[in-house]
Amino acid sequence: MDYNKIAKEILTYLGGENNVASAAHCATRLRLVLNDDKKANIKKIEKMDAVKGVFNSGGQLQIIIGQGTVNKVYAAFIEGTKIGESSLSDNKRAAMKNMNPFEKFARMLSNIFVPIIPAIVASGLLMGILGMLQNFNLIDSKSGIYILLNMFSNAAFVFLPVLIAFSGAKEFGANPFLAATLGGIMIHPDLQNAWTLGTGIKNSMDFYGMHVSMVGYQGQVLPILIAVWVMGYIERGLRKIVPDILDILLTPFLTVLITGFFTFFIIGPAGRLLGDGLSFGLVTIYNTAGVFAGILFGGFYSLIVITGIHQSFQAVEAGLLANPNIHKDFLLPIWSMANVAQGGAAFAVYFITKNAKIKSIAGPASLSAVLGITEPAIFGVNLRYRRPFIAAAVGGAVGGGYIVFTKVAMTGMGVSGIPGTSIVPPSSIMNYIIGMVIAFATAFVVTSVLGIKEEKEAKEEIEEVEEDNNDKSIEEVLVYNEADANTVLNLVSPANGNVVLLKDVPDKTFSDELLGKGIAVDPVDGIVVSPVDGTVVCLFETKHAIAIKTSDGMEILIHIGIDTVKMNGEGFKSFINSGDIIKKGQKLIEFDLDLVKAKAKSPITILVITNSDSMKFVKPLKSGEIKQGEELLLVGIN
C-alpha cells in the first residue's frame, strides 16, 4: 500500500486539514473530529480500496482501515500537517463537544470503565480457571494455591471502588489520588465487608444521635461514581477560595473531609439503593421474561452499537459482577451472540456480492466479528446493504434467546465471541459455543435468503468534469465550465514573477495538495496583492500568510515563501488587518525579497484554494512569466 497516497486522499475528501479538529487512531480505525461534518465526502472515502467502512458515532468520524495498517496511514495522515498527533483521550474530549447530553453521559461512563476492563478481565479469567480446577477436583479449597488464586481472582471486585475512583477522577476533574483515598475509605477494614451481609450480621455506629451503617461498599459502582463526581466540584470550589499559600494543606484536607461525610450520610446509602435497584430490576427482567429477554436484547444490541450508547453498559456489567448476590454477567453472552451474528451476515455477503472490494472486506470482517470486533462487519458490509444487518439482528435474537434459555453467564467482561469462552464457566462453555453457531448460521441463512441489492459504481460528477477538462484548451474549458458551474471566478496573480505548478513547489504540504489545489509564483519583487475581492479572515502574526474568503464561499490562502514562518515577521510589512474588506489587486504585503532568499528555503509565493474539494474545478490559466493583476487561476464554484 502507498500509505502517503491513502492519507492524502482521505484528507482531501475530509475537506482539508483545516476541517480536522482532532485526529487519533485505535487498533483498526482512524478516529477524527471534524469542524464541519458536511464538508466530508463520505461516499468517496467509502469507495477507497484501503477503507473498509466509515461511520459517525459519538461525535467522531471513524474510518475503518484495519489492524496493522491504520497506524501507518495515521502517521502519513498527520505528517506535514498542522493537525498534530492526538491521544485517544484528547480525541474523545474533542468529540464530546459534538454530542448531546445522553451521548456525553454514555461516553463518560465508557471513558471511566474502559481502562478498568483489563483488571476485570484478568480477575474473571482467574475465576474461570479456579472454577474449572474445582469442577474436576484438581484443587483443594483449603490448599495454599486455592487461597492465593481466590485472592487474585476477586481482588479487582473487592477493591473496585478504588479502581473506579482513580479512573473517574480523570473524567470528573478531581485529584486521582484523593479520589482513590475516598475509594479506600469506602472499603476500609473498620467497615463490615459487604460480602458478609448475607450472614445477617450488620454493624452500625451512633453519630450524634444518628445511626450510620458500618457496611463497606465492596462491589458497588454507583456510590463511588457519584462521590467522585461530587468530590470534583468540592475540590474545584475550594481552590477558588483557599489562599494559594495554604492550598496544598487545606484543599486536600477539606476535600476528603467534606466528601467523606457527604458519602457516608447521603451519597453512599442513596447510591447503594440505586445500584441494588438497577441490579434487581435487570435480574427480575432476566428471570421473568426469560427467553424473550434474550431475544429482545440480542436483536437490538447491534442497533444500539451504532449509536455508541452500548459503551455505558460496561458500568452495568461491572455492577452485576461486583454484586455479591449476583456475581455474574448474564448480559455479555447475549451481546456476544449479536456480535457473532454480524459475522455470519458478513460471511454470507462474501459469497453473494460481485463487488471485488466488498468481497475483500467481508471475509476478514466476518472473522473479526466472531473474535469480538464488529465494526468492519457492521459499518463496512452489513449496514451498506441493510438487509444483512437485519439478518444479523435476527441471528442475534435467536442466539440470545438460546443463551438465556440455557442460563449462560460470564465471570468477567470486556471480551466476546470466541475469546469470550475464556470467561465462561466450564459447565456453560458448550452451550455458549452452540449459541454462537446458532447466531452465526441464522444470520448467514437469512442474509442468503434476503439477498443484497448491489449498487452500481459510478464516477462522481466532479471527477468527470476534471477528466473531461484535462485535454481541453483554456478557451474550451471556459466555454464548458461557464455552462456547468454556478459561478466562475478568475483569480489574478498576487505577484510579479514566473508561474510555478504546485507539484513543483519544494514543500510536500503544497506539492501533494494537502491544503488544496492552486498555483504558485516565483516572485521578482517583494509586493503581494489580493487575487480576489473578499474579506481577510486571518493575517498571521508573522505576516507571511493571509487567509481570504470571498462572498461566494471560496477560501484562499496566500503563503509567502517556504519556511518563512521561522523569520518571525522580519522583513515583512502588512497593509491590511484581519477583518478588512479588500479588492482584487489591492496591496496586501511588502517583503524584503533578498532577506527571504537568504533566511528562508524559498521565496515562492503560493496561492491555494483550501476548500477546493467543494469547487467544481480549479484550473491554471497561464504558464511562464506573469504580472500582478493578470488572470492566473480559474475556479468553478458549485
Side-chain angles (χ1 to χ4, degrees):
M1 287 187 179
D2 186 339
Y3 302 112
N4 287 319
K5 182 180 179 181
I6 294 169
K8 175 187 169 184
E9 280 190 68
I10 291 174
L11 193 60
T12 300
Y13 298 148
L14 289 173
E17 69 172 283
N18 289 330
N19 195 36
V20 181
S22 175
H25 75 91
C26 59
T28 59
R29 288 161 281 168
L30 285 179
R31 294 173 173 268
L32 310 169
V33 179
L34 305 182
N35 292 317
D36 185 353
D37 290 337
K38 294 179 181 178
K39 289 185 178 181
N41 193 328
I42 303 300
K43 289 184 178 179
K44 281 197 171 185
I45 296 175
E46 287 178 333
K47 290 180 180 179
M48 293 176 62
D49 290 337
V51 174
K52 296 176 173 61
V54 183
F55 66 100
N56 203 317
S57 176
Q60 294 178 333
L61 181 69
Q62 301 187 24
I63 303 174
I64 305 167
I65 295 176
Q67 192 170 0
T69 304
V70 65
N71 55 325
K72 296 172 184 176
V73 173
Y74 176 74
F77 183 81
I78 64 172
E79 183 181 4
T81 72
K82 63 182 181 181
I83 296 171
E85 187 171 355
S86 302
S87 66
L88 277 176
S89 58
D90 292 336
N91 189 262
K92 287 175 181 177
R93 280 192 287 271
M96 286 181 74
K97 295 178 182 178
N98 301 326
M99 298 180 189
N100 61 46
F102 191 74
E103 289 174 326
K104 286 182 179 179
F105 177 74
R107 179 61 62 183
M108 176 268 293
L109 289 179
S110 173
N111 292 346
I112 292 171
F113 283 91
V114 166
I116 299 172
I117 284 178
I120 297 177
V121 168
S123 292
L125 183 56
L126 281 170
M127 282 184 178
I129 293 172
L130 192 59
M132 182 177 64
L133 291 174
Q134 281 185 293
N135 286 343
F136 290 100
N137 296 317
L138 297 175
I139 192 169
D140 183 356
S141 61
K142 296 181 180 179
S143 66
I145 186 65
Y146 176 87
I147 294 170
L148 282 175
L149 285 177
N150 189 50
M151 288 168 53
F152 297 167
S153 66
N154 64 33
F157 300 110
V158 172
F159 294 97
L160 188 62
V162 177
L163 298 178
I164 293 174
F166 191 84
S167 183
K170 299 175 183 179
E171 193 69 20
F172 297 137
N175 183 306
F177 298 98
L178 292 181
T181 300
L182 180 64
I185 291 171
M186 296 178 71
I187 56 172
H188 196 279
D190 285 349
L191 299 173
Q192 181 183 351
N193 192 318
W195 298 72
T196 66
L197 283 178
T199 62
I201 303 171
K202 295 184 180 181
N203 298 328
S204 64
M205 69 173 177
D206 183 273
F207 186 83
Y208 294 103
M210 292 185 291
H211 289 281
V212 181
S213 176
M214 291 291 288
V215 178
Y217 289 87
Q218 292 87 350
Q220 290 287 329
V221 173
L222 284 179
I224 189 62
L225 271 179
I226 300 170
V228 175
W229 176 65
V230 171
M231 172 180 269
Y233 280 101
I234 291 173
E235 185 181 357
R236 290 191 296 272
L238 287 170
R239 291 196 187 281
K240 292 178 181 179
I241 59 176
V242 173
D244 291 343
I245 194 170
L246 298 175
D247 179 69
I248 195 170
L249 293 174
L250 288 183
T251 301
F253 165 70
L254 292 174
T255 298
V256 172
L257 189 66
I258 296 171
T259 311
F261 275 106
F262 263 114
T263 299
F264 271 94
F265 286 99
I266 301 172
I267 298 172
R272 193 195 298 274
L273 187 63
L274 284 172
D276 290 344
L278 179 60
S279 297
F280 176 78
L282 286 171
V283 171
T284 301
I285 293 172
Y286 181 83
N287 290 331
T288 56
V291 173
F292 179 74
I295 293 172
L296 188 66
F297 293 163
F300 281 94
Y301 180 71
S302 293
L303 193 62
I304 297 170
V305 168
I306 298 173
T307 68
I309 297 172
H310 69 295
Q311 302 285 0
S312 61
F313 293 169
Q314 293 156 354
V316 178
E317 292 176 47
L320 293 174
L321 285 168
N323 190 316
N325 296 319
I326 303 172
H327 210 45
K328 61 182 179 181
D329 184 350
F330 51 76
L331 295 175
L332 184 56
I334 302 174
W335 311 153
S336 187
M337 297 304 108
N339 292 343
V340 170
Q342 291 292 337
F347 195 52
V349 172
Y350 172 81
F351 289 102
I352 297 172
T353 184
K354 296 178 181 178
N355 185 311
K357 180 187 174 183
I358 298 300
K359 190 178 286 290
S360 69
I361 294 172
S366 176
L367 177 60
S368 174
V370 298
L371 294 175
I373 301 172
T374 58
E375 287 87 352
I378 292 177
F379 298 102
V381 181
N382 298 338
L383 270 180
R384 185 189 296 260
Y385 297 114
R386 293 182 178 84
R387 292 175 185 173
F389 185 80
I390 295 171
V394 175
V398 176
Y402 179 82
I403 286 296
V404 175
F405 178 73
T406 53
K407 301 294 181 183
V408 175
M410 288 177 164
T411 58
M413 56 184 281
V415 289
S416 64
I418 293 175
T421 56
S422 63
I423 54 174
V424 176
S427 59
S428 297
I429 284 181
M430 185 54 66
N431 282 323
Y432 179 76
I433 293 173
I434 292 172
M436 287 194 292
V437 172
I438 291 173
F440 188 94
T442 301
F444 182 91
V445 171
V446 175
T447 301
S448 301
V449 172
L450 293 178
I452 60 174
K453 188 177 180 181
E454 295 273 22
E455 297 177 2
K456 293 182 179 180
E457 299 295 331
K459 291 184 178 180
E460 295 291 325
E461 185 180 0
I462 186 170
E463 293 175 333
E464 293 175 348
V465 170
E466 290 179 351
E467 185 176 345
D468 290 342
N469 287 343
N470 281 340
D471 299 323
K472 295 188 177 186
S473 66
I474 288 176
E475 290 76 14
E476 289 175 317
V477 170
L478 278 167
V479 172
Y480 177 84
N481 286 321
E482 283 177 346
D484 185 66
N486 293 330
T487 306
V488 176
L489 285 184
N490 291 308
L491 277 65
V492 302
S493 176
N496 296 315
N498 293 289
V499 176
V500 178
L501 296 177
L502 275 194
K503 68 182 181 66
D504 297 322
V505 172
D507 187 301
K508 286 182 67 65
T509 302
F510 298 107
S511 62
D512 287 351
E513 297 184 348
L514 297 177
L515 293 179
K517 297 180 180 180
I519 197 73
V521 177
D522 191 359
V524 295
D525 58 39
I527 304 296
V528 175
V529 302
S530 176
V532 291
D533 295 339
T535 302
V536 178
V537 176
C538 177
L539 171 64
F540 287 67
E541 291 184 7
T542 51
K543 300 178 177 62
H544 77 291
I546 308 146
I548 302 169
K549 187 170 185 178
T550 70
S551 59
D552 298 299
M554 182 166 52
E555 298 170 2
I556 301 165
L557 174 68
I558 301 174
H559 195 284
I560 303 168
I562 305 298
D563 288 344
T564 43
V565 65
K566 297 177 181 178
M567 295 176 65
N568 293 316
E570 182 184 1
F572 288 79
K573 181 180 179 181
S574 67
F575 296 86
I576 43 86
N577 294 298
S578 296
D580 286 357
I581 297 174
I582 54 176
K583 295 292 184 182
K584 183 185 292 187
Q586 180 178 335
K587 186 175 181 180
L588 304 177
I589 299 289
E590 186 176 309
F591 65 95
D592 188 328
L593 180 60
D594 293 331
L595 187 64
V596 170
K597 287 181 178 180
K599 291 197 170 187
K601 186 175 180 179
S602 169
I604 288 177
T605 298
I606 303 106
L607 176 63
V608 174
I609 314 300
T610 55
N611 61 340
S612 59
D613 61 298
S614 62
M615 300 292 110
K616 203 74 174 178
F617 53 83
V618 177
K619 291 290 178 182
L621 292 177
K622 190 170 183 180
S623 59
E625 187 177 343
I626 194 166
K627 293 182 180 180
Q628 289 174 351
E630 284 190 65
E631 293 180 351
L632 176 62
L633 204 62
L634 182 71
V635 181
I637 303 174
N638 287 322

